[in-house]
Amino acid sequence: MSMFKKKTLLTQVLVLILVAPVLAWAGGGGGPFSAGTFSFIKVGLVIFAIFSAWLIKDKMGIPLPKLIQAPLLWVLCYINFRVILQPPIPFSLLAMYMGVCTVAIFLYCSITASSWEEFSHPIAVMLREDHGTAKMSRYATFLIVPGLIAFQTYNQMLPKFGEPIELRTVHPAPPASINVHKKLVTLQTAENPFRIGDDGNYLKVGDESQYFGGNSWTGDVPKFLQQVREGGVVFFGTAGCFYCHGDNLDGKGPFSFAFNPIPANFADPGTISQLQETFVFWRVAKGGPDLSREAFPWASAMPPWEKHLTTNEIWKVIIFEYWHTGFFPRTWG
Amino acid sequence: MSENKEEQKVGIGQKIVFGAIMAAASFLYYVVFLNKSLMVLQNLAYPY
Amino acid sequence: MLNLNGEKKKKIGAWLLLSMIGMLVLLPFTPAVVMAAEEKAAEAAAEGDAEPEKAKDVFYKGPGEFGIVSGPPAKEMVYPDDYGSYGDFQSRTIIWIANQQHLYFGSFVLAVPMFVWVMELIGILQYGKDRKAGKKFDDLAHEMMKISLTAYSVTAILGGILIFSFLALYPGFFRYLSGIFRPVMHIYALLFILESGVLYVYYYGWDAMNDGDGDWKWSHLALGTMLNAVGIVLMVMANTWVSFMMSPAGVDAQGRFLGDIWKVMHNPLMVPIVIHRILGNAAFGGGVVAAYAAFKFLAAKNIEEKGHYDWMSYIAMFMGILALIPLPFAGYWLMREIYAYRQQMGITLMGGLLAWVFIMQATMIATLFITVNYYLFQAMGRMPGSERYHRYFKYMLAILVVSTIAWLTPHTLVMTPAELKAMGGAQHPVVGNYGVMSAKNTAINTMITTTCVCFIIYQRCNFNVKVPWAWKGNLFLFFLVFGAEANIVFLGIYGYFIPANVRIGLSVPQVASTLTVLFIGVWMNVKMLKGAESVGEIRWGRMSVRGAYALFMLAVAFTWTMAVMGYLRSSVRLHWHVNEILRDNSPWAFTNPLGYAGNINSFNVLLFWTMLLFVFWLSALAGKGKEKVAAEAAAEAAGSAVPAGSH
């Protein structure tokens, strides 16, 4: 028997070794603790919970009936998602997580014939038997359950004054083609004309990495870096993108705090690195006013830059944005 | 418990040695061979 | 009745049949040959005559890709001239339901022969070794075929309804599409007749041609091969119409047919959609047959019957899962091809208007994997000796749940402005990390790996491993799984620190790790089980009822996923009948909102299962008659025997 217990413990430790880095890295910050401390506390809590469960159940031989385990687990999950996880997650997500947990706990209780028996037997006794305790618990159940439902109904019916939920599409689908300065640009096939290598030919996406970190301000620079420099001039000069998108292209420019939603953060791997160059071209050229219908509620303060910049300047600033963040535009095939 | 009796014939040291070899082999296979070869096949960078 | 006596007669008959089958298989190619000849003649004629009008293909853009214009341009559709309607009812919804029902039954009817073929082959191969086991598989195949036969006529009826709905509600669109596909439409119809013929010979000839593993039986299997081949060709042809609507080719920008039907059929999305659909059909067919068996399992009156259906549901579920495992990768490829075809379509699907449908799909996929594991846990109830592994179930369930939570976390959260303020931005600092692809890939691969481990345990749980190197094998398996999982997690985290195009590439080694566990793990396990000591025979029929419910869940999840993804695939064309060529100018050209789609999908699922219950009931009815006759005959025999004995 001891062999089994050792194995269990070993499994638990190994699972923790596997899970710990994920937790530690995803931990984020919580309250007064720094992110690192917080995640260590969390990992510690998990280890403690498993250890104490093992101590109580296997070592001290105190069985916890499934019928008690189930709500206990549920409450622990709720505490985890509602209290420990900070900042608070929106209700829609909490509902989803708790839904998964509820199903999972039910599956846990019915996972083998014996555990289902252990779980359902007291319920059957409560419903069927005719002795005092069973009767009392039956009355209690038939009072509490409808009561809870009534309370929930009451809560639902109460008039609410919160703002309605906003489902915003951050990256709506672009049109097939756009008209910029009286020229048709087909977004599927258009290429950035300033993506050029030393030989003056089109530079394949990915090959520009050789220029990453290069100094574009020295006298004799490669052709690509010349475009980067001119794009930089647009970013910081002609157009002044940095007022909103920030000196480091991280969306934290001096004006950014006035906007809701905040300006796009190009340094985030979820923005320009997920998109094709032509998508970015569309957004820069047309701005908020040209967002498609699905981009409800069109929450974008981006001006249509085609009114202020030439087509070439727009393409160059795109070159600069990718170069500066070290991302590559998305390509397919 | 016939299973346990046979298991006891194998010393713990032997198990550790074999386990270590297996761990190293699985590391070499997954992280070095599998990842690298499949990333190279796709023409993508993979530093390990 | 066939007279099967005499070795020689048997041989000749079997060979005759085989050669007939061979000729029939070649038949569909004859129109192609004729067409090619005609084309050459036309070209020769064209050379002599005035220069024919040439136009540029919308998709095939090679230097010489100018086709001879050989069809009228796509007409600008006008409402109400080109559309019909039934009062105020949305025509689109009617077409939607008709299409979905036809597709459900069609896929079922195409998938079942695949299983039946495999079952029959196993039966024949087993027959030589163990007659009883061989017969068991053969009967199973026969029973599956019986269900499919009734469903086949339902499919044909639904196909008729679909065509009539098209003619009544979308005559203009249907005229255009049939104009383009005219060269192959009759081949389709002829193939359908061929399919029916083969199907009936295959089914009704089952007993007549059953001589264990002799020539007749092999010929029968060849019939099955042919049935599958024709079925798949039919499906491919129907698919080309659908994929042509999504990504047209072989026509010019005005929609004029350019003379090469193969280019129309071989449009950019055709191949990935076909592959995805074949795998999907197989998984779905397995799910439905498993549900049928689960239904019979619950309704069975004695343990033998229970045992039979327990076994049948297990086999069907297993076949379904075999098709399910490669399905996500095929879907991934399809998605990639869609992006490559049109960025606009890709973003509409994954990041824009329809992105929430993928959350629904994710929910269904997580449900599928959890259900499969739960079913295996329940199924171990019939394996003596599985108690030794009960303690590990909860950890596997925990891993599955954690993966599910990561898998379901959406990238864009639904929240009120107050919640947005409390969170301090649109992205949550912790949960946001789980909303991106790296986390999703890690989660799904972890789930599949866990399922593999669960299956490995299922395989060995009623055996004591006896090979002398058992401890080495166990350690090997342990590090195989642990290493794969560690690698999957490592690649998942690493994915956050690199650009998107490299990150996408990481999914390949992740999948390869999962597949390593699947193949090497199961292979190793089978090796270790050589000469193993059995703890006890599998007690078929002793699975808990919860296992049967899990199978229902599985089947419903399959159907619902199909409905929801069908809505997605069709909606991505937005306001086009044929993408960028033929615009939908009817009042129903808008994209239906998710809530409405959810309702219609659920209605479709419900309708399908109602009809399917009818089909099940019908096939049970036929069986009942036979049982009654058999029982009466037995009673009669007993009745006549008793007095004889009492004398």
Side-chain angles (χ1 to χ4, degrees):
Chain A
M1 281 310 274
S2 68
M3 193 66 206
F4 274 135
K5 276 175 191 159
K6 265 183 212 153
K7 270 188 190 164
T8 315
L9 197 62
L10 196 69
T11 324
Q12 285 163 352
V13 169
L14 284 170
V15 166
L16 276 175
I17 290 173
L18 213 59
V19 171
V22 184
L23 282 177
W25 157 82
F33 309 109
S34 72
T37 328
F38 181 65
S39 51
F40 271 111
I41 293 174
K42 240 160 98 177
V43 173
L45 278 176
V46 172
I47 294 178
F48 178 73
I50 292 179
F51 179 74
S52 45
W54 172 77
L55 201 71
I56 294 171
K57 195 163 160 275
D58 290 356
K59 205 78 187 165
M60 293 159 71
I62 304 170
L64 205 55
K66 281 265 153 37
L67 203 56
I68 305 213
Q69 276 182 34
L72 201 66
L73 271 173
W74 200 89
V75 169
L76 279 178
C77 290
Y78 187 77
I79 291 174
N80 180 41
F81 290 127
R82 191 78 194 81
V83 183
I84 298 183
L85 189 61
Q86 288 294 337
I89 54 174
F91 177 76
S92 62
L93 196 62
L94 183 71
M96 215 151 103
Y97 285 171
M98 286 318 293
V100 172
C101 289
T102 311
V103 172
I105 289 167
F106 177 73
L107 294 184
Y108 166 66
C109 291
S110 64
I111 204 159
T112 60
S114 56
S115 69
W116 175 244
E117 175 63 20
E118 189 189 328
F119 177 72
S120 62
H121 181 69
I123 298 176
V125 167
M126 184 270 287
L127 287 174
R128 276 200 298 245
E129 298 294 310
D130 242 354
H131 53 76
T133 338
K135 259 187 185 164
M136 281 316 290
S137 53
R138 188 153 62 220
Y139 297 148
T141 309
F142 288 155
L143 274 175
I144 291 169
V145 172
L148 277 175
I149 293 171
F151 177 69
Q152 177 65 17
T153 316
Y154 171 74
N155 247 350
Q156 284 278 310
M157 298 304 285
L158 274 183
K160 298 209 169 48
F161 303 103
E163 294 167 75
I165 281 175
E166 202 171 86
L167 194 58
R168 177 170 169 257
T169 305
V170 181
H171 300 307
S177 59
I178 54 173
N179 227 319
V180 180
H181 297 134
K182 290 176 190 149
K183 261 195 167 164
L184 191 75
V185 181
T186 309
L187 295 186
Q188 183 68 20
T189 49
E191 287 174 342
N192 192 333
F194 299 101
R195 172 174 278 286
I196 41 176
D198 296 339
D199 53 359
N201 289 331
Y202 183 76
L203 192 68
K204 229 182 103 226
V205 170
D207 289 353
E208 68 265 38
S209 60
Q210 54 183 303
Y211 302 116
F212 284 176
N215 182 354
S216 56
W217 292 97
T218 51
D220 187 27
V221 292
K223 284 204 176 83
F224 185 83
L225 283 183
Q226 284 172 25
Q227 315 308 329
V228 169
R229 180 165 68 200
E230 284 165 31
V233 167
V234 175
F235 192 89
F236 289 104
T238 326
C241 310
F242 75 100
Y243 285 119
C244 301
H245 291 289
D247 288 354
N248 294 323
L249 282 65
D250 53 4
K252 288 183 183 157
F255 292 172
S256 68
F257 302 100
F259 294 112
N260 179 17
I262 52 169
N265 171 2
F266 302 141
D268 183 294
T271 60
I272 56 172
S273 82
Q274 301 267 13
L275 302 164
Q276 281 176 239
E277 253 179 321
T278 52
F279 186 101
V280 182
F281 180 79
W282 168 55
R283 295 310 319 126
V284 176
K286 297 292 181 183
D290 194 47
L291 278 174
S292 45
R293 288 170 69 182
E294 59 166 287
F296 175 86
W298 307 286
S300 167
M302 181 84 172
W305 284 103
E306 60 172 345
K307 303 222 164 94
H308 308 278
L309 299 175
T310 64
T311 308
N312 288 355
E313 282 172 329
I314 297 177
W315 281 121
K316 279 177 188 165
V317 79
I318 292 170
I319 288 275
F320 168 77
E321 283 166 8
Y322 280 105
W323 173 82
H324 191 282
T325 51
F327 288 134
F328 306 98
R330 172 162 273 184
T331 51
W332 297 91
Chain B
M1 288 276 130
S2 60
E3 206 184 359
N4 271 3
K5 249 184 233 163
E6 269 168 41
E7 263 177 33
Q8 274 154 19
K9 275 186 218 157
V10 185
I12 190 78
Q14 222 178 336
K15 276 193 173 178
I16 288 172
V17 170
F18 187 75
I21 294 170
M22 279 292 123
S26 103
F27 177 81
L28 282 177
Y29 169 73
Y30 286 115
V31 179
V32 180
F33 168 71
L34 197 71
N35 293 358
K36 184 86 193 175
S37 61
L38 287 174
M39 293 302 274
V40 165
L41 271 179
Q42 299 180 81
N43 271 331
L44 295 171
Y46 180 72
Y48 304 102
Chain C
M1 268 308 270
L2 283 164
N3 179 13
L4 296 182
N5 295 332
E7 272 304 299
K8 213 167 181 189
K9 248 188 194 170
K10 242 163 108 179
K11 272 243 156 81
I12 293 170
W15 279 108
L16 257 176
L17 188 67
L18 268 182
S19 47
M20 253 170 70
I21 291 171
M23 263 148 67
L24 281 174
V25 167
L26 288 178
L27 195 65
F29 296 102
T30 46
V33 173
V34 173
M35 255 163 50
E38 273 175 3
E39 211 170 85
K40 251 188 202 148
E43 261 172 37
E47 266 168 31
D49 286 345
E51 191 77 0
E53 196 190 346
K54 289 196 169 187
K56 212 172 171 188
D57 197 307
V58 282
F59 176 72
Y60 288 101
K61 290 258 158 72
E65 296 287 358
F66 284 89
I68 302 163
V69 174
S70 25
K75 201 179 134 205
E76 173 94 3
M77 295 283 131
V78 184
Y79 184 82
D81 299 355
D82 292 307
Y83 297 94
S85 65
Y86 291 134
D88 287 341
F89 212 78
Q90 273 203 38
S91 295
R92 200 175 176 186
T93 308
I94 299 174
I95 286 287
W96 184 354
I97 294 171
N99 238 322
Q100 186 69 60
Q101 295 303 325
H102 179 57
L103 189 113
Y104 274 145
F105 274 94
S107 355
F108 180 61
V109 165
L110 290 177
V112 170
M114 293 187 206
F115 293 131
V116 169
W117 188 86
V118 176
M119 290 295 112
E120 194 181 5
L121 180 68
I122 296 176
I124 296 175
L125 295 177
Q126 286 264 320
Y127 194 79
K129 289 179 225 157
D130 178 359
R131 296 209 157 200
K132 223 175 138 195
K135 183 143 183 356
K136 212 174 155 193
F137 275 101
D138 199 62
D139 287 346
L140 178 67
H142 199 177
E143 188 175 356
M144 282 191 190
M145 209 60 220
K146 190 169 76 183
I147 313 165
S148 153
L149 204 68
T150 325
Y152 186 75
S153 40
V154 179
T155 312
I157 294 166
L158 287 168
I161 291 178
L162 178 60
I163 289 198
F164 293 141
S165 324
F166 267 128
L167 287 173
L169 299 173
Y170 288 89
F173 158 71
F174 194 71
R175 198 175 311 128
Y176 174 69
L177 208 62
S178 52
I180 300 275
F181 281 94
R182 198 176 41 205
V184 285
M185 266 184 130
H186 278 96
I187 300 181
Y188 185 79
L190 288 174
L191 275 174
F192 203 77
I193 296 174
L194 184 63
E195 165 100 356
S196 313
V198 178
L199 179 71
Y200 289 124
V201 176
Y202 185 64
Y203 178 71
Y204 290 111
W206 197 290
D207 290 326
M209 293 171 78
N210 196 348
D211 57 354
D213 54 356
D215 292 338
W216 272 109
K217 189 67 187 163
W218 281 105
S219 314
H220 190 249
L221 188 71
L223 268 178
T225 316
M226 163 127 179
L227 183 64
N228 277 309
V230 176
I232 287 174
V233 172
L234 273 173
M235 193 207 68
V236 168
M237 288 177 91
N239 253 327
T240 55
W241 306 345
V242 168
S243 57
F244 175 78
M245 286 167 70
M246 276 178 91
S247 56
V251 293
D252 72 353
Q254 299 170 39
R256 294 182 295 185
F257 177 47
L258 295 182
D260 189 347
I261 189 68
W262 174 242
K263 278 185 185 158
V264 173
M265 292 170 75
H266 187 243
N267 50 61
L269 294 181
M270 176 256 211
V271 179
I273 287 189
V274 163
I275 303 284
H276 194 61
R277 192 153 270 170
I278 288 177
L279 288 170
N281 279 359
F284 163 75
V288 172
V289 174
Y292 164 78
F295 165 74
K296 296 287 255 185
F297 171 82
L298 289 176
K301 293 199 178 65
N302 53 45
I303 190 72
E304 285 82 34
E305 215 181 319
K306 251 189 152 59
H308 172 71
Y309 286 112
D310 191 1
W311 176 71
M312 180 176 180
S313 66
Y314 171 70
I315 299 279
M317 191 264 345
F318 188 74
M319 304 277 284
I321 296 310
L322 274 189
L324 177 68
I325 285 176
L327 197 56
F329 311 129
Y332 185 77
W333 179 43
L334 171 59
M335 209 55 233
R336 203 191 146 93
E337 291 295 311
I338 288 178
Y339 256 109
Y341 170 68
R342 285 285 182 279
Q343 164 185 244
Q344 191 189 11
M345 265 191 183
I347 293 183
T348 301
L349 286 174
M350 299 298 285
L353 190 64
L354 297 168
W356 274 90
V357 180
F358 276 92
I359 298 285
M360 290 191 199
Q361 189 217 18
T363 316
M364 295 328 279
I365 289 174
T367 311
L368 282 178
F369 279 105
I370 292 189
T371 310
V372 167
N373 279 279
Y374 187 74
Y375 169 77
L376 285 174
F377 295 149
Q378 297 305 319
M380 279 187 234
R382 60 178 174 234
M383 319 283 271
S386 65
E387 303 77 26
R388 296 172 293 177
Y389 295 95
H390 280 176
R391 55 194 308 108
Y392 301 115
F393 290 178
K394 50 179 176 285
Y395 301 113
M396 292 161 79
L397 186 67
I399 293 172
L400 284 171
V401 170
V402 170
S403 305
T404 304
I405 282 177
W407 173 247
L408 287 186
T409 306
H411 186 59
T412 316
L413 302 173
V414 179
M415 50 192 166
T416 63
E419 286 170 332
L420 180 80
K421 266 175 217 131
M423 238 169 73
Q427 296 299 327
H428 193 279
V430 181
V431 170
N433 287 321
Y434 296 113
V436 292
M437 213 180 93
S438 280
K440 307 279 178 220
N441 280 340
T442 309
I444 193 67
N445 278 296
T446 305
M447 284 166 95
I448 300 178
T449 309
T450 313
T451 311
C452 294
V453 174
C454 191
F455 181 67
I456 286 174
I457 292 180
Y458 178 85
Q459 268 188 323
R460 59 155 61 188
C461 70
N462 64 335
F463 289 106
N464 280 329
V465 178
K466 277 291 167 207
V467 283
W469 44 272
W471 66 276
K472 276 188 191 169
N474 282 335
L475 272 176
F476 175 84
L477 275 180
F478 175 81
F479 279 105
L480 186 78
V481 174
F482 187 75
E485 189 47 44
N487 194 33
I488 288 167
V489 172
F490 159 69
L491 288 176
I493 295 179
Y494 176 60
Y496 285 86
F497 301 100
I498 48 173
N501 53 342
V502 185
R503 186 188 317 142
I504 291 166
L506 285 183
S507 63
V508 177
Q510 270 189 328
V511 167
S513 307
T514 308
L515 292 181
T516 306
V517 173
L518 177 61
F519 292 118
I520 310 274
V522 171
W523 170 78
M524 190 65 189
N525 198 38
V526 170
K527 282 252 148 193
M528 285 175 73
L529 287 177
K530 278 241 166 84
E533 171 193 76
S534 173
V535 179
E537 279 287 298
I538 301 176
R539 294 168 297 191
W540 291 109
R542 299 256 180 231
M543 182 181 65
S544 73
V545 288
R546 293 186 301 286
Y549 298 145
L551 289 175
F552 285 136
M553 183 74 225
L554 198 70
V556 171
F558 272 133
T559 31
W560 216 80
T561 313
M562 274 171 86
V564 109
M565 296 322 269
Y567 156 76
L568 181 86
R569 192 201 51 66
S570 187
S571 293
V572 73
R573 289 194 317 271
L574 301 175
H575 50 267
W576 296 99
H577 284 310
V578 178
N579 195 28
E580 291 164 18
I581 292 211
L582 188 66
R583 203 187 155 104
D584 187 349
N585 285 331
S586 71
W588 310 287
F590 61 91
T591 303
N592 280 302
L594 287 183
Y596 184 77
N599 286 342
I600 295 292
N601 288 336
S602 303
F603 173 74
N604 267 326
V605 171
L606 207 64
L607 187 62
F608 170 66
W609 281 101
T610 315
M611 287 205 275
L612 206 62
L613 273 181
F614 171 69
V615 169
F616 288 173
W617 175 75
L618 265 186
S619 65
L621 206 63
K624 251 182 204 158
K626 255 188 219 162
E627 269 167 32
K628 228 183 196 171
V629 170
E632 272 169 17
E636 237 170 62
S640 61
V642 169
S646 66
H647 272 295

